């Protein structure tokens, strides 16, 4: 039984050739060979002094040798009943002397033999030294055959693994590719041709036929930069379809190493056209909605001003109500701008809300701390809270005095965000005896809308307020 490996890869091996040549010399014989016995034949994969490459298994000396566990030596095959009728003995080759060492695989399977032959019969067998030497040579032959087998198995397993990976990649909805250093694009899954109807590109410039003309230059520059630095790549562009239309994809690629000269690249193209167009439509609708909300705020403040004009009793109330509405409008514009990108961090929102009190142009109001993102749903309650705090500070606290200052600090604390409002340089403060509308408004916004808590420390040097809000509620 022959262990599995590629016999064609073994034939002509120079190491085996040297071993059989030395075996012949060791045994003072003109010929030697390494035979591997198959089901119906034996093949000589390395030989010295032989002009045949195979014989039938039925007349093979080595077929019997490999079934034993010691050397098989035949001094005169013509007089040996086991072999005298073999073609090699009776016909022109006139084989007379044979000695073979069995070749057994690491699993215990018989493979063949290392054999030495002569056309002259002998009266004496090999010496002990010769026998030992032939066994040692047979062990070297087995190691060489095992090395060939392992190499063959490694190649086979690698090929099989590659075929499995290719099978999986051909079944995924994304386009997948790989590239050798250069880059030279050397492998695509079947999805590429299915989508584009064309042959895969092999160079960056070949991609020009598949990327929208308005997108190619900018994206290729980004990719070349990623190649030169062996860094991850991601970009969005339009891919030409088989019917000539274009669809948006997100293109991602990663290098196998951080060495630009040797890194292979692996990438995917994911169709995002439907999502992209829906996003564009949502942005258009959001912009229209933001514009209408802004107009509504303007109409309401205009109506309030118009209705209170000339009415001293309602003028003060109207002014306070309008300042609240303007704060809400600023927060709304920040979270949902009519044009451009919306703000994302809490500090940016607070700067917008505190701008009327000097947050942008002086050191009267300072905003420091961690960069914390917030969601659009938190903009309105935050606007109510900090507009009320600033209004109170301007009337009774630090912002009512020339030397007054307000410091706002933002800190992440586990699952919470802690906002500290600290006043200084203003008049002495004391806790009020009654709770006004503004305080109730702040409490409602913090407790009910943001799910947080607030503590107040009425120090003589200035009010300190600590607001704790769950991060999850802040980012909604």
């Amino acid at each position: 039984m022959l262990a599995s490996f590629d016999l064609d890869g073994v034939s002509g091996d120079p190491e085996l050739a040297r071993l059989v040549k030395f075996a012949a010399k060791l045994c003072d014989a003109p010929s030697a060979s390494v035979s591997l016995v198959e089901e119906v034949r034996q093949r000589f994969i390395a030989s010295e002094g032989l002009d045949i490459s195979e014989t039938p298994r039925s007349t093979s000396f080595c077929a019997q040798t490999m079934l034993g566990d010691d050397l098989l030596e035949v001094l005169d095959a013509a007089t040996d009943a086991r072999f005298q009728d073999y073609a090699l003995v009776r016909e022109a080759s006139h084989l007379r002397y044979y000695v073979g060492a069995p070749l057994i695989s690491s699993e215990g399977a018989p493979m063949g033999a290392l054999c030495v032959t002569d056309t002259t019969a002998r009266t004496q067998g090999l010496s002990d030294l010769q026998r030992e030497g032939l066994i040692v040579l047979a062990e070297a032959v087995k190691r060489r055959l095992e090395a060939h087998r392992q190499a063959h198995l490694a190649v086979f397993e690698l090929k099989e693994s590659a075929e499995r990976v290719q099978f999986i990649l051909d079944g995924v909805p994304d386009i997948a590719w790989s590239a050798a250093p250069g880059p030279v694009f050397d492998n695509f899954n079947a999805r590429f041709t299915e989508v584009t109807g064309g042959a895969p590109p092999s160079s960056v410039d070949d991609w020009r036929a598949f990327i929208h003309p308005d997108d190619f230059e900018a994206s290729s520059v980004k990719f070349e930069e990623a190649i030169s630095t062996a860094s991850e790549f991601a970009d969005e562009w339009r891919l030409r379809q088989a019917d000539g239309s274009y669809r948006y994809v997100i293109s991602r690629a990663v290098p196998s190493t951080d060495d630009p000269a040797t890194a292979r690249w692996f990438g995917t193209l994911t169709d995002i056209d439907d999502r992209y167009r829906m996003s564009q439509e949502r942005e258009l609708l959001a912009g229209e909605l933001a514009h209408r909300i802004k107009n509504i705020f303007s109409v309401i403040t205009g109506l309030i001003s118009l209705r209170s004009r000339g009415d001293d009793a309602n003028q003060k109330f109207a002014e306070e109500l309008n300042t609240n509405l303007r704060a809400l409008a600023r927060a709304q514009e920040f979270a949902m701008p009519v044009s451009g990108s919306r703000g994302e961090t809490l500090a940016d929102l607070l700067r917008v809300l505190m701008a009327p009190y000097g947050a942008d142009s002086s050191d009267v109001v300072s905003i420091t701390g961690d960069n914390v993102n917030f969601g659009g749903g938190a903009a309105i309650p935050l606007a109510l809270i900090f507009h009320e705090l600033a209004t109170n500070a301007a009337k009774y606290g630090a912002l009512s005095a020339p030397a007054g200052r307000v410091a706002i600090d933002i800190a992440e604390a586990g699952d919470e965000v802690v906002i500290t409002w600290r006043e200084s340089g203003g008049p002495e403060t004391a806790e009020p005896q009654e709770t006004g509308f503004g305080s109730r408004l702040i409490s409602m916004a913090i407790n009910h809308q943001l799910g947080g808590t607030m503590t107040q420390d009425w120090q003589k040097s200035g009010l300190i307020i600590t607001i704790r809000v769950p991060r999850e509620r802040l980012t909604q």
Side-chain angles (χ1 to χ4, degrees):
M1 176 181 179
L2 178 63
S4 174
F5 60 88
D6 182 10
L7 295 179
D8 293 331
V10 181
S11 299
D13 180 89
E15 182 66 21
L16 291 178
R18 286 193 293 269
L19 290 171
V20 296
K21 185 174 183 178
F22 187 73
K25 186 175 181 180
L26 174 68
C27 299
D28 298 321
S31 56
S33 62
V34 172
S35 70
L36 294 180
V37 180
E38 301 173 351
E39 184 176 359
V40 296
R41 64 176 177 171
Q42 70 170 353
R43 295 179 60 183
F44 301 113
I45 61 171
S47 61
E48 171 71 16
L50 287 181
D51 57 2
I52 57 175
S53 60
E54 63 179 68
T55 66
R57 176 171 178 159
S58 60
T59 59
S60 166
F61 284 73
C62 294
Q64 295 198 33
T65 302
M66 72 179 187
L67 299 178
D69 54 8
D70 197 2
L71 297 181
L72 172 62
E73 189 174 20
V74 180
L75 299 180
D76 186 357
T79 61
D80 192 312
R82 295 172 297 175
F83 308 109
Q84 60 187 5
D85 293 330
Y86 281 10
L88 288 175
V89 178
R90 290 187 296 102
E91 296 176 0
S93 56
H94 296 298
L95 189 149
R96 292 293 180 265
Y97 177 74
Y98 171 92
V99 61
L103 300 176
I104 309 299
S105 74
S106 57
E107 297 87 0
M111 296 188 294
L114 168 62
C115 63
V116 175
T117 57
D118 197 344
T119 56
T120 302
R122 297 190 181 187
T123 57
Q124 287 186 319
L126 297 179
S127 67
D128 290 342
L129 179 61
Q130 289 173 317
R131 292 176 67 88
E132 182 180 355
L134 193 59
I135 291 172
V136 170
L137 291 175
E139 292 293 331
V141 169
K142 284 194 290 186
R143 287 193 295 271
R144 191 64 180 167
L145 293 177
E146 183 66 22
H148 273 284
R149 186 178 72 150
Q150 292 301 326
H152 172 70
L153 287 175
V155 171
F156 176 78
E157 290 174 358
L158 184 62
K159 181 181 178 182
E160 193 175 55
S161 176
E163 289 175 350
R164 286 197 299 267
V165 171
Q166 189 66 43
F167 177 78
I168 293 172
L169 289 178
D170 286 343
V172 300
D174 291 354
I175 293 171
W177 57 264
S178 66
V184 177
F185 297 88
D186 54 12
N187 190 40
F188 284 78
N189 66 344
R191 187 66 177 156
F192 183 88
T193 301
E194 291 173 3
V195 170
T196 67
S202 59
S203 67
V204 172
D205 194 63
D206 289 345
W207 280 92
R208 190 183 298 272
F210 301 99
I211 300 177
H212 194 284
D214 294 343
D215 302 336
F216 177 78
E217 295 298 338
S219 190
S220 62
V221 168
K222 289 182 183 179
F223 185 61
E224 294 286 2
E225 174 64 21
I227 292 290
S228 66
T229 57
S231 55
E232 293 186 10
F233 167 81
D235 196 17
E236 294 180 7
W237 39 264
R238 285 163 286 182
L239 176 69
R240 185 181 63 77
Q241 308 294 294
D243 62 2
S245 64
Y246 287 88
R247 290 180 66 85
Y248 276 95
V249 297
I250 181 167
S251 174
R252 296 187 180 93
V254 295
S256 60
T257 71
D258 58 4
D259 178 12
T262 61
R264 283 190 60 84
W265 285 83
F266 301 91
T268 57
L269 302 179
T270 304
D271 190 308
I272 59 168
D273 194 77
D274 293 338
R275 186 177 68 187
Y276 183 88
R277 297 188 188 282
M278 288 177 62
S279 176
Q280 294 291 95
E281 292 175 1
R282 284 197 298 267
E283 287 186 13
L284 181 64
L285 290 174
E288 179 63 22
L289 179 60
H291 182 75
R292 295 193 180 197
I293 291 175
K294 185 176 181 179
N295 287 343
I296 289 172
F297 275 119
S298 298
V299 170
I300 292 174
T301 54
L303 288 173
I304 292 173
S305 298
L306 183 63
R307 289 293 184 181
S308 61
R309 188 177 300 167
D311 188 340
D312 294 337
N314 292 325
Q315 186 70 36
K316 183 177 180 181
F317 171 77
E319 290 176 357
E320 291 184 355
L321 184 57
N322 274 341
T323 58
N324 276 278
L325 288 172
R326 281 191 287 271
L328 293 177
R330 287 198 300 274
Q332 182 64 36
E333 169 62 17
F334 184 82
M336 187 186 289
V338 174
S339 61
S341 301
R342 57 150 285 180
E344 293 184 350
T345 70
L346 179 56
D348 291 337
L349 174 61
L350 294 181
R351 290 187 184 95
V352 170
L353 296 174
M354 302 304 294
Y357 304 94
D360 286 337
S361 57
S362 71
D363 62 351
V364 174
V365 178
S366 64
I367 301 170
T368 59
D370 298 329
N371 285 327
V372 177
N373 291 343
F374 78 100
I380 296 302
L382 288 170
L384 291 172
I385 293 166
F386 285 94
H387 172 72
E388 194 62 34
L389 291 178
T391 299
N392 291 339
K395 288 181 178 179
Y396 316 111
L399 297 182
S400 67
R405 299 289 184 269
V406 171
I408 305 174
D409 181 71
I410 304 166
E412 296 179 288
D415 294 334
E416 290 185 325
V417 174
V418 180
I419 308 169
T420 304
W421 170 285
R422 188 184 301 271
E423 298 183 23
S424 62
E428 291 187 6
T429 61
E431 185 174 0
Q433 299 299 313
E434 296 181 358
T435 301
F437 172 77
S439 296
R440 291 194 298 272
L441 183 65
I442 292 174
S443 178
M444 178 188 68
I446 293 175
N447 297 335
H448 300 296
Q449 293 182 267
L450 296 178
T453 60
M454 180 182 72
T455 59
Q456 301 177 78
D457 184 3
W458 296 87
Q459 297 187 2
K460 288 185 178 181
S461 59
L463 173 63
I464 300 175
I465 294 177
T466 302
I467 300 171
R468 294 180 175 273
V469 180
R471 184 196 303 273
E472 181 181 4
R473 295 290 291 272
L474 194 64
T475 55
Q476 288 180 348

